[in-house]
């Protein structure tokens, strides 16, 4: 970890924290929630050892990157804009791209808006969901799961204070180590009823890892990350011009079979019956990892390292 260098770069009007290691062709890693650049620690060191330059920013609103106040400053246009500006500042014309969770969503948008900047994409957990002009995303998710679905709950401005009332380490552990295929549901009085059993650190994580994530979230709170969820419907509105657009860059998709995103109604059929390939003509490989949960790049780092390396070396 001492090999990884850290810098702050001005991009798109904000100061962005960027971790970087290695020399060679660049691989840009995009994290999700509740994560940070640190989620890619294993992949960064591995790719650097293989002759690549691994770059992992904290997205706007996360970790040591600035967090604009308004949720309207977290649309796909802003976040993709940050990343394109980052590439420009680093003097990188095209990169390999790797995303997970919200990082996967942002990676899909980056490939949709600026495919000229991407050599190939390895995306994890969240499939590309083409825009459905007849229904807004949050309305659809509320119809499927109800108001207690975490995505619906996060729509409430100020609700992040509920998270900040509980112990940060226990909260993050309840997300990271919960190995079930169901979508998280959060009651309105979450802080009063949050009482998880004592967590046990799994073999693929350490107390030091948990301390790092917790220290950053204690400092920043959760408003920035929640603002991404508050832009689900706004992204749907501002991206109307991309209705029917497809992902054309070469893609490898990886998901765990215990990941809640894989078990969302209709997703397995979408992947297995051709819908995913139709929306993503560049899709070349799909890997479903058996017995693996949502945080697969941390749970199975060596397997993920090999999947990334074996795919991008083709391009």
């Amino acid at each position: 970890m001492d090999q990884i260098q850290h810098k702050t770069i001005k991009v798109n009007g904000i100061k962005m924290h960027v971790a970087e290691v290695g020399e060679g062709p660049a691989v840009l890693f995009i994290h999700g929630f509740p994560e940070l650049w640190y989620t890619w620690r294993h992949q960064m060191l591995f790719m650097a050892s293989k002759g690549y330059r691994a770059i992992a920013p904290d997205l706007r609103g996360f970790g040591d990157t600035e967090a604009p106040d308004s949720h309207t400053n977290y649309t796909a246009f802003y976040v993709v804009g940050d990343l394109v500006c980052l590439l420009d500042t680093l003097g990188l014309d095209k990169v390999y791209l790797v995303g997970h969770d919200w990082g996967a969503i942002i990676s899909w948008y980056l490939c949709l808006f600026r495919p000229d900047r991407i050599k190939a994409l390895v995306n994890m957990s969240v499939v590309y969901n083409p825009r459905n002009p007849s229904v807004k995303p949050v309305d659809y998710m509320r119809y499927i799961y109800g108001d207690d679905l975490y995505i619906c709950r996060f729509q409430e401005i100020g609700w992040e204070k509920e998270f900040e009332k509980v112990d940060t380490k226990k909260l993050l552990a309840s997300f990271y180590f919960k190995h079930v295929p169901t979508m998280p549901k959060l009651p309105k009085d979450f802080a009063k009823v949050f009482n998880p059993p004592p967590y046990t650190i799994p073999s693929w994580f350490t107390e030091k890892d948990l301390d790092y994530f917790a220290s950053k979230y204690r400092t920043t709170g959760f408003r920035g990350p929640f603002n991404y969820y508050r832009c689900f419907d706004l992204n749907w509105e501002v991206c109307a011009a991309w209705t029917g657009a497809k992902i054309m860059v070469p893609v490898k998709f990886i998901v765990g079979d215990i990941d809640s995103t894989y078990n969302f109604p209709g997703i397995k059929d979408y992947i297995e019956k051709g819908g995913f390939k139709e929306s993503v003509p560049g899709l070349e490989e799909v890997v479903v990892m058996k017995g693996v949960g949502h945080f697969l790049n941390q749970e199975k780092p060596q397997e993920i390292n090999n999947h990334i390396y074996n795919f991008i070396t083709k391009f």
Side-chain angles (χ1 to χ4, degrees):
M1 293 294 288
D2 292 341
Q3 302 172 46
I4 298 176
Q5 299 179 342
H6 299 267
K7 62 184 74 174
T8 300
I9 299 176
K10 191 72 174 288
V11 299
N12 201 19
I14 65 170
K15 294 178 181 178
M16 172 175 274
H17 166 246
V18 181
E20 185 175 345
V21 63
E23 296 181 358
V27 184
L28 180 64
F29 292 91
I30 311 299
H31 69 80
F33 171 79
E35 298 176 279
L36 303 163
W37 75 268
Y38 189 87
T39 190
W40 299 113
R41 58 198 179 280
H42 305 297
Q43 287 73 42
M44 293 180 71
L45 293 171
F46 176 83
M47 294 308 298
S49 75
K50 293 293 186 180
Y52 288 84
R53 180 183 180 186
I55 303 163
D58 283 334
L59 295 177
R60 66 166 54 204
F62 286 86
D64 294 320
T65 292
E66 280 193 78
D69 288 334
S70 173
H71 77 278
T72 59
N73 292 121
Y74 291 79
T75 66
F77 291 144
Y78 279 103
V79 183
V80 169
D82 295 344
L83 298 174
V84 172
C85 288
L86 174 62
L87 298 185
D88 291 343
T89 301
L90 296 177
L92 298 170
D93 179 45
K94 299 185 78 169
V95 297
Y96 299 106
L97 183 62
V98 180
H100 172 251
D101 188 75
W102 255 107
I105 297 174
I106 297 303
S107 294
W108 293 127
Y109 278 122
L110 178 50
C111 291
L112 195 64
F113 300 158
R114 295 301 304 271
D116 58 306
R117 307 303 295 267
I118 307 303
K119 297 178 182 178
L121 166 65
V122 178
N123 236 2
M124 302 177 211
S125 291
V126 182
V127 298
Y128 175 61
N129 285 299
R131 183 180 184 275
N132 182 346
S134 64
V135 61
K136 291 184 176 182
V138 176
D139 287 344
Y140 179 71
M141 287 182 276
R142 183 172 281 114
Y143 170 76
I144 296 294
Y145 284 106
D147 291 336
D148 285 351
L149 179 69
Y150 72 105
I151 293 171
C152 299
R153 191 63 69 202
F154 290 173
Q155 302 302 310
E156 303 171 29
I157 302 298
W159 201 83
E160 55 269 27
K161 291 183 174 61
E162 283 293 302
F163 266 31
E164 293 163 12
K165 292 176 184 176
V166 305
D167 181 85
T168 306
K169 281 184 71 172
K170 291 181 180 178
L171 176 64
L172 293 177
S174 71
F175 275 88
Y176 297 154
F177 310 147
K178 192 173 183 180
H179 223 237
V180 296
T182 55
M183 283 283 186
K185 289 195 172 186
L186 307 174
K188 196 169 183 63
D189 54 351
F190 173 76
K192 293 182 180 178
V193 301
F194 179 73
N195 186 30
Y199 64 82
T200 300
I201 300 288
S203 60
W204 48 271
F205 218 76
T206 70
E207 195 77 35
K208 182 180 178 181
D209 296 333
L210 186 57
D211 284 338
Y212 182 87
F213 285 115
S215 69
K216 296 300 180 182
Y217 277 97
R218 284 195 199 100
T219 300
T220 64
F222 292 88
R223 176 176 50 83
F226 282 14
N227 282 336
Y228 284 74
Y229 294 90
R230 291 165 185 156
C231 282
F232 261 125
D233 283 353
L234 185 53
N235 283 330
W236 179 88
E237 294 174 15
V238 299
C239 289
W242 281 269
T243 302
K246 300 178 186 294
I247 303 295
M248 305 303 295
V249 305
V251 175
K252 181 174 189 172
F253 181 74
I254 313 170
V255 67
D257 70 344
I258 308 179
D259 193 331
S260 59
T261 60
Y262 181 64
N263 290 277
F264 190 89
I267 293 299
K268 292 179 184 178
D269 282 348
Y270 176 62
I271 293 173
E272 296 168 4
K273 296 185 177 180
F276 192 18
K277 176 66 175 177
E278 182 179 347
S279 299
V280 185
L283 182 67
E284 297 193 11
E285 296 182 43
V286 173
V287 177
V288 180
M289 301 181 71
K290 301 299 182 183
V292 178
H294 182 65
F295 298 96
L296 68 175
N297 56 307
Q298 299 186 81
E299 184 179 346
K300 297 291 183 181
Q302 194 55 53
E303 290 93 328
I304 295 298
N305 293 346
N306 291 332
H307 280 305
I308 295 170
Y309 179 74
N310 292 337
F311 187 66
I312 69 174
T313 51
K314 299 177 181 180
F315 306 97

